[in-house]
Amino acid sequence: MNDSPTALCAHPDADERAETADVLADAGLTVKEVGSVDRLDAALDRSIDCVVTAFDFENGDGFDVVDAVRDVNPDCVVILYTEHAPSDLPRGSPEQVVEYVPQTVPESRERLADIAAMAAAEVTQAAYPVPDTETERLAAVQAYDIDQLAAADAFDRLTALMTSHFDIDVAFVGLMDEHEERFLACEGANWRTLSREDSICTHTILSDETMVVEDTHEDPRFAEVDALKQLDIRSYAGVRITDEEGHAIGAVCCTDGEPRRHTRAELDDLRRFADEVEEQLLLRRRLQRDT
């Protein structure tokens, strides 16, 4: 994955768009360009950290751009770069950050680039990591009836067996949605959902390797995550689960309130439990298709 924040530059005039894109690139952003609202719709995905847009388009305006971005990625920053007065433009909301840079001020493009770089960097730093195939992965998750799966006794039996087998506090099966992890089964606690930015599993789904955190207090990725402290998660081991096409849809995990090391045999057993969950999910998916 590219480490540089990505900006989408939208402007109906090709020359204006190219000049703005060059300044954004000089500020360290990876830049994509579009010339219409329709093309912006097609280019938007969760890899975009910032959208810089004009206000007037033949087939829409800045309000349409804001709405399109909100539909795809509520955390993405939108910067309106226009001659229109700020009183005529939308403001930020809990779902969307909207900035305004007037073209009439001196060195407006340089100011725009500074704001875009800072805003995109803040979003990138605060956000959770996502797989390169996040769009396809989310489509795979959405193909399952999560509420129906959560009522399946098989997952409850598996997590109950895991807590006994590993002698741990909590075992769970979770599917990773766009903004939260939703638990199909959770033995040892009554967890229903967890914000994705607070979930260790958002890292687990990035790799086929077993994710092990012996002590969350000593791991810089998780030491300051208050939710983990509130849930008394001090140690963690997890294996991602995938669908038939190999998309990571969630994880099977063990947690405990004390620091802990897992033996190779225990980690091999955890992977076997994950294999069983995958088999159960595959079976239910096939049954769903046949009905």
Side-chain angles (χ1 to χ4, degrees), residues 9 11 13-27 29 52 79 81 101-117:
C9 181
H11 200 291
D13 184 274
D15 292 336
E16 289 283 336
R17 186 171 66 250
E19 289 183 26
T20 301
D22 286 344
V23 173
L24 293 173
D26 289 342
L29 296 166
V52 174
I79 302 175
Y81 182 52
V101 176
Q103 290 178 313
T104 53
V105 300
E107 299 182 342
S108 62
R109 281 198 176 90
E110 286 72 17
R111 180 181 176 186
L112 169 69
D114 289 341
I115 292 175

Side-chain angles (χ1 to χ4, degrees), residues 142-253:
Q142 291 164 5
Y144 290 90
D145 185 333
I146 295 180
D147 292 333
Q148 184 183 66
L149 291 173
D153 292 339
F155 299 117
D156 290 328
R157 290 194 295 269
L158 279 171
T159 52
L161 181 58
M162 288 170 62
T163 56
S164 174
H165 180 78
F166 296 115
D167 189 24
I168 52 166
D169 291 341
V170 179
F172 63 83
V173 176
L175 293 191
M176 190 64 68
D177 214 332
E178 184 173 7
H179 296 298
E180 64 182 10
E181 183 172 16
R182 299 178 63 181
F183 300 106
L184 304 184
C186 183
E187 180 70 21
N190 191 32
W191 304 339
R192 292 289 180 265
T193 64
L194 182 62
S195 172
R196 190 166 171 182
E197 64 186 9
D198 294 330
S199 171
I200 300 178
C201 295
T202 199
H203 295 264
T204 304
I205 65 172
L206 298 177
S207 171
D208 189 45
E209 298 295 323
T210 302
M211 176 79 177
V212 177
V213 181
E214 296 180 357
D215 187 345
T216 57
H217 292 188
E218 299 298 325
D219 191 311
R221 294 170 296 180
F222 312 117
E224 302 303 321
V225 179
D226 291 337
L228 298 180
K229 297 174 184 177
Q230 294 168 3
L231 297 175
D232 197 26
I233 297 177
R234 187 72 182 270
S235 61
Y236 169 99
V239 176
R240 75 175 181 180
I241 48 179
T242 62
D243 70 353
E244 295 172 89
E245 287 73 37
H247 299 301
I249 58 176
V252 176
C253 310

Side-chain angles (χ1 to χ4, degrees), residues 118-135:
M118 287 188 294
E122 288 176 2
V123 169
T124 303
Q125 292 165 3
Y128 38 77
V130 297
D132 292 330
T133 57
E134 177 71 354
T135 299

